[in-house]
Amino acid sequence: MSERESMEFDVLIVGAGPSGLAAAIRLKQLSPEATVCVVEKGSEVGAHILSGAVLEPRALDELIPDWREDPPELATPASEDAFLFLTESKAYKLPTPPQMHNHGNYVVSLGNVCRWLGAKAEALGVEIYPGFAASETIIEDGVVKGVVAGVMGITREGEEGPNYQPGMELRARYTLFGEGCRGSLTKKLEALYGLREGVQPQTYGLGIKELWEIPKERHVPGKIWHTTGWPLTTDTYGGTWIYMLGENLVSIGMVVGLDYPNTWLSPFDEMQRFKTHPEIRKILEGGKRIAYGARALNEGGFQSIPKLVFPGGALIGDTAGFLNVPKIKGTHTSMKSGMLAAEAAAKALEAGEAAAPVLEGYPEALRQSWVWEELQGVRNIRPGFAKWGFYGGMINAALETYVFRGKAPWTLAHHADHSATKPADPAKKIAYPKPDGKLTFDRLSSVFLSNTNHEEDQPAHLKLRDPSQWKPVNWDVYRAPESRYCPAGVYEAVGVEEGEPRLVINAQNCVHCKTCDIKDPRQNIDWCTPEGGGGPNYIGGM
């Protein structure tokens, strides 16, 4: 292959999400002369960012104390707060758990927050390269030395295609990985350095989101609703949100825990069904859906945090898993983790050649921070639902919150999500109503609103490790669950009526949610880094 050019930095950050940009800003605040680079696979900063989102400003207050004088676009102070239990036709208001109180928080577009943080970072001298997908980690003598980014035109066989570009080696003394949930380079680092040894399996949820514009008379700026119950059954963890921000905009979505057992369940269709509830229909009718997206999120919390450092690098943000599940917030904890890693890197840079390649100060600083205390206090709530189901989980959550106050003398365990899926034959099939095109929609029209695009001539970034497994496992046992859990219509079982089922992968539809990499029953699907700039291109507001 052609020789690559290279660039050298003091610190390289993979991913322009909240943690990566917070790390970059903090580094330049502490070490103005340090050279800092951020690479981002999206076509621009914020293009691949998706969240509810309600922002708790604790970390942002520490990073940029005067940020309210120049806030991100659409940032709306939280106002009304409600927690509802839904049946198919009724909504019952429940006491809002203390972790879900939002006084002092802001309804935001997380994509806009990242664009705003990116501008702040660049003003400090940080170099940001969007459209540069980090496809390979540079490791020499066991030490991470940076990444290879911007590679194009490599065939599945690893050969140079007609549009081959060798990419560039971005080298650094320290590399911080902030890839977000289920990072493709992070997966390999965890295996190489044993970062998950001695910790619980990570567990995940799939978040599906739509952005609506509704009639002005129904819009209450800062209104926040969370619901539980219908349409999900009691053996499936999940819930929904409705957040009102900006001018007549509503963020609405659902998170479904990916440890759900019924292979026939479709998170996308559950989200569509949710909108038909009478109370939700009242809000959306007469409005217009203007954007769509989906993303997996880490739900393992405290007991699933891996080892964070290794020679030459560290994990930050949601690639390590700092989401506070009961609070339904992780931006503040992700940002703080990036800031703490940056502080450790700044000290190492100051020490010069005498500095060790491992940023040991970062994990210890995290253990002494409010992030550790916050996650430790809610560690038993999410696994309680997996262990005891919906009602038992609710009782456990109340006990953990009001009786033990996060100090129970035990820690509940997690299990790998894919292991929870049950075979198709004994499971109850679910009949989902057809979309009406006004309130409910199909997958392909939804993907269109995500502005997803991959160049047609690029190699597929979704691969079966062993294609021969699909028929006897995914089809014969589970009836192609990937065709249902994928929220973008990527996976399609064809030839069924002819008695010769086979899998078609429409990789160009992929919105980079990573669900297939998580939920495949035998972990046979490998989500690899696609060429830079591809995937969704979420608009401001998402």
Side-chain angles (χ1 to χ4, degrees), residues 39-153:
V39 291
E40 164 57 39
K41 66 181 175 69
S43 60
E44 65 174 5
V45 174
H48 288 180
I49 296 296
L50 188 72
S51 178
V54 174
L55 174 69
E56 180 177 314
R58 185 171 186 176
L60 188 55
D61 286 341
E62 295 178 10
L63 183 67
I64 307 174
D66 63 350
W67 71 270
R68 290 171 181 80
E69 297 175 11
D70 174 31
E73 185 181 359
L74 299 179
T76 306
S79 58
E80 177 185 331
D81 229 339
F83 181 48
L84 307 175
F85 174 76
L86 302 185
T87 65
E88 189 168 356
S89 59
K90 301 290 184 182
Y92 300 94
K93 191 169 184 179
L94 301 177
T96 302
Q99 301 98 335
M100 295 171 66
H101 288 162
N102 285 294
H103 177 73
N105 295 335
Y106 292 79
V107 182
V108 298
S109 156
L110 196 57
N112 281 351
V113 170
C114 287
R115 293 179 184 94
W116 179 86
L117 287 171
K120 299 290 185 186
E122 288 184 316
L124 292 171
V126 175
E127 296 184 44
I128 301 179
Y129 297 144
F132 264 54
S135 57
E136 179 185 339
T137 304
I138 301 170
I139 301 174
E140 297 172 354
D141 298 323
V143 179
V144 171
K145 296 291 187 179
V147 302
V148 177
V151 180
M152 297 181 67

Side-chain angles (χ1 to χ4, degrees), residues 7 28 162 169 175 205 285 323 347 352 396 409 436 450 533:
M7 297 177 68
K28 294 297 282 187
E169 289 189 356
T175 304
E285 275 190 331
L323 177 71
K347 288 180 182 178
N396 173 70
D436 61 18
S450 71

Side-chain angles (χ1 to χ4, degrees), residues 292-464:
Y292 167 85
R295 189 71 172 93
L297 54 147
N298 292 320
E299 293 187 341
F302 181 78
Q303 51 269 61
S304 297
I305 297 172
K307 183 180 178 184
L308 297 171
V309 294
F310 41 88
L315 305 181
I316 61 174
D318 206 33
T319 208
F322 295 113
L323 177 71
N324 182 328
V325 176
K327 189 180 277 189
I328 322 176
K329 295 175 185 65
T331 302
H332 64 303
T333 48
S334 287
M335 288 181 65
K336 183 63 174 178
S337 73
M339 293 157 62
L340 293 171
E343 291 166 10
K347 288 180 182 178
L349 294 176
E350 185 179 355
E353 295 299 324
V358 179
L359 296 172
E360 293 291 2
Y362 165 45
E364 181 56 30
L366 192 73
R367 283 190 286 269
Q368 298 302 320
S369 74
W370 50 261
V371 173
W372 201 258
E373 180 182 11
E374 183 175 315
L375 296 184
Q376 188 176 40
V378 298
R379 69 193 184 281
N380 287 329
I381 293 181
R382 172 63 179 94
F385 286 91
K387 187 176 180 66
W388 295 300
F390 177 77
Y391 294 109
M394 290 286 279
I395 293 169
N396 173 70
L399 291 172
E400 288 283 341
T401 301
Y402 297 106
V403 178
F404 297 113
R405 299 184 182 274
K407 299 185 184 301
W410 55 77
T411 296
L412 299 179
H414 292 300
H415 56 258
D417 292 330
H418 69 276
S419 66
T421 310
K422 295 181 179 179
D425 285 347
K428 182 181 179 181
K429 289 188 176 182
I430 304 173
Y432 292 109
K434 290 184 178 180
D436 61 18
K438 296 179 180 179
L439 186 65
T440 60
F441 303 90
D442 61 21
R443 281 174 171 81
L444 294 184
S445 65
S446 300
V447 173
F448 178 79
L449 288 181
S450 71
N451 300 305
T452 293
N453 180 62
H454 295 87
E455 294 295 334
E456 291 184 3
D457 59 353
Q458 71 173 254
H461 62 282
L462 301 161
K463 304 174 183 178
L464 298 184

